[in-house]
Amino acid sequence: MILRQAVSTTRWFNVDLLIEFITHLGARLVAAQPKELAVGNIVRRVLKIIREVARGELSQANKEDTKSSEEYSEDDDENDEKDEDEDEEDISSEETKAKKNRSFGDQSFLSQSSMFNLLSDGPVPKSHDEIKNTYNLKPLIIQEINEEIIADLESVYKGIADQAADFIHANEVIMTIGISRTVEEFLIRASQKLKFQVLVAETSPTYQGHAMACKLAAAGIDTTVISDSAIFAAMPRVNKVVLGSHAVLANGGLVAVTGSHLIAAAAKQHSTPVLVCTALYKLSPLFAYDSDTFNVTVSPHNVLQYQEGLITDKVSVSNPYYDYVAPELVSLFIHNLGSAPPTYVYRLINDNYDQEDTTL
């Protein structure tokens, strides 16, 4: 909503100015919440739409100008032929020579101007028609934002939940961790036609799994809450693992709630498939060169409170909130437009973002 309002209220006559403004605004939004990778992803998606609309509209305008110039040249050729038939041979030969000289002069001028544009440092000033065409792109850009981004965000959960029957079968045991609306809608949709059991890890110390278990039980799903330490012991009974995600990285890895790496590693040890429900706007072009960067920790107040005495000065407490899960631990990503393995994530990122907008 902020980016759409910025496009509609900002005064700009050039697409480059709009891209520069949106990039600067997106950089400020990302700096406010560096760990919320979805913010930068939405900004990159808006920049991609602006570039696509500008390229498509300007190319169409150039085609129309080319057609009009060709029609005008054809009319001039016809008039020249009629004049040459009526005039004498000497006059026609002189006119032909003059035309050749003019065409040679025009070609030399074009070549000089093109070389000047190639070697000049600054941008070439645009014509009034081109400025007018770029300014008229504003309603088209807003329309594309409404149709592609906002409508996509509104249908994310439905698009993922509609695929539940293809991946979950009757009498299976499903394991998940934490609370995720995407996973919740996915499992509830599957329970409308199938009967299965869900094991929910409690996700200490936030205990998000308790809230998740209550919602699944209210929907009529056979739900059991287990402690995080019992994940590996319960994994042999599990048929599938379904996880949510905070972000999906360019290498196919994901950032998810703490404990997700534990479940994924235990599933790989027991050859249990791991399904990740995620939306396309969570795909990030960032690459996990250092996996510890995405292992986010928060205040240890929930683990050891400050009021508990002198022990707080003698121990070091770490309270992880997000885990990085390597791509080799994931079997399949289920997104709102289909499904893809981790090795195909790079293609989805190239389809949704422009390479020029990787760094905001």
Side-chain angles (χ1 to χ4, degrees):
M1 298 294 290
I2 296 176
L3 297 176
R4 183 180 63 179
Q5 185 178 3
V7 173
S8 61
T9 58
T10 304
R11 293 185 178 181
W12 51 274
F13 60 89
N14 192 327
V15 176
D16 296 333
L17 295 177
L18 177 62
I19 292 176
E20 182 180 358
F21 176 78
I22 296 297
T23 303
H24 179 68
L25 177 60
R28 293 176 58 189
L29 294 175
V30 172
Q33 286 289 342
K35 300 301 181 181
E36 295 294 335
L37 302 181
V39 176
N41 300 338
I42 296 295
V43 174
R44 295 183 182 93
R45 190 71 186 96
V46 171
L47 292 174
K48 172 80 169 180
I49 289 177
I50 295 174
R51 296 180 191 277
E52 287 181 346
V53 172
R55 291 167 184 168
E57 196 68 19
L58 291 179
S59 63
Q60 183 178 0
N62 293 333
K63 290 180 180 178
E64 293 178 356
D65 295 340
T66 304
K67 290 181 180 179
S68 61
S69 62
E70 290 178 353
E71 293 177 355
Y72 180 76
S73 62
E74 290 178 357
D75 295 338
D76 291 342
D77 292 339
E78 292 178 357
N79 294 331
D80 292 340
E81 290 178 357
K82 292 180 180 179
D83 294 339
E84 289 176 357
D85 293 339
E86 294 177 357
D87 295 338
E88 296 179 356
E89 294 179 356
D90 297 337
I91 298 175
S92 62
S93 61
E94 292 177 359
E95 290 180 353
T96 304
K97 293 179 180 180
K99 288 182 181 180
K100 290 182 178 179
N101 293 331
R102 287 197 300 270
S103 63
F104 178 77
D106 293 339
Q107 292 177 358
S108 62
F109 175 75
L110 291 175
S111 62
Q112 293 174 1
S113 62
S114 63
M115 289 296 296
F116 175 76
N117 295 338
L118 180 62
L119 299 176
S120 61
D121 296 333
V124 180
K126 296 185 178 181
S127 63
H128 177 71
D129 294 336
E130 188 173 355
I131 294 175
K132 183 177 179 181
N133 291 332
T134 56
Y135 185 78
N136 291 334
L137 297 178
K138 178 179 289 188
L140 296 178
I141 294 174
I142 296 176
Q143 180 181 358
E144 290 296 323
I145 292 176
N146 292 332
E147 293 179 355
E148 292 193 15
I149 297 182
I150 297 180
D152 188 25
L153 293 176
E154 294 175 351
S155 61
V156 163
Y157 302 108
K158 182 180 182 300
I160 296 176
D162 290 341
Q163 307 176 57
D166 298 333
F167 298 99
I168 296 180
H169 305 89
N171 301 323
E172 285 188 335
V173 178
I174 310 297
M175 180 178 287
T176 186
I177 187 171
I179 185 170
S180 171
R181 183 181 173 184
T182 308
V183 176
E184 176 190 346
E185 297 288 341
F186 185 78
L187 296 176
I188 291 177
R189 179 65 63 86
S191 66
Q192 295 177 357
K193 298 181 180 179
L194 304 171
K195 293 294 183 180
F196 54 88
Q197 182 182 1
V198 178
L199 302 179
V200 182
E202 62 181 1
T203 322
S204 177
T206 58
Y207 300 106
Q208 299 177 4
H210 294 177
M212 182 70 166
C214 291
K215 293 183 178 181
L216 296 179
I221 301 176
D222 184 7
T223 308
T224 304
V225 179
I226 63 174
S227 61
D228 297 338
S229 59
I231 289 176
F232 192 86
M235 189 59 68
R237 298 181 56 241
V238 176
N239 300 109
K240 288 185 180 70
V241 172
V242 180
L243 300 177
S245 67
H246 177 69
V248 179
L249 305 179
N251 63 334
L254 70 139
V255 180
V257 67
T258 180
S260 299
H261 183 271
L262 173 62
I263 287 186
K268 185 177 181 60
Q269 181 67 26
H270 292 85
S271 301
T272 302
V274 177
L275 308 180
V276 178
C277 297
T278 184
L280 288 178
Y281 72 86
K282 294 184 178 182
L283 299 179
S284 176
L286 300 180
F287 194 88
Y289 294 104
D290 184 10
S291 59
D292 292 335
T293 305
F294 301 98
N295 292 327
V296 181
T297 58
V298 295
S299 172
H301 180 74
N302 294 329
V303 180
L304 182 65
Q305 297 183 1
Y306 184 76
Q307 293 81 2
E308 292 189 9
L310 299 176
I311 191 175
T312 56
D313 298 331
K314 301 178 181 179
V315 296
S316 177
V317 182
S318 178
N319 184 16
Y321 194 81
Y322 288 127
D323 280 352
Y324 170 74
V325 182
E328 56 266 18
L329 302 179
V330 179
S331 302
L332 192 69
F333 287 101
I334 304 174
H335 54 83
N336 46 310
L337 297 181
S339 59
T343 54
Y344 195 75
V345 170
Y346 79 95
R347 182 62 182 273
L348 296 176
I349 292 176
N350 290 335
D351 293 341
N352 286 272
Y353 310 127
D354 196 285
Q355 295 182 357
E356 299 180 5
D357 303 324
T358 302
T359 304
L360 295 176

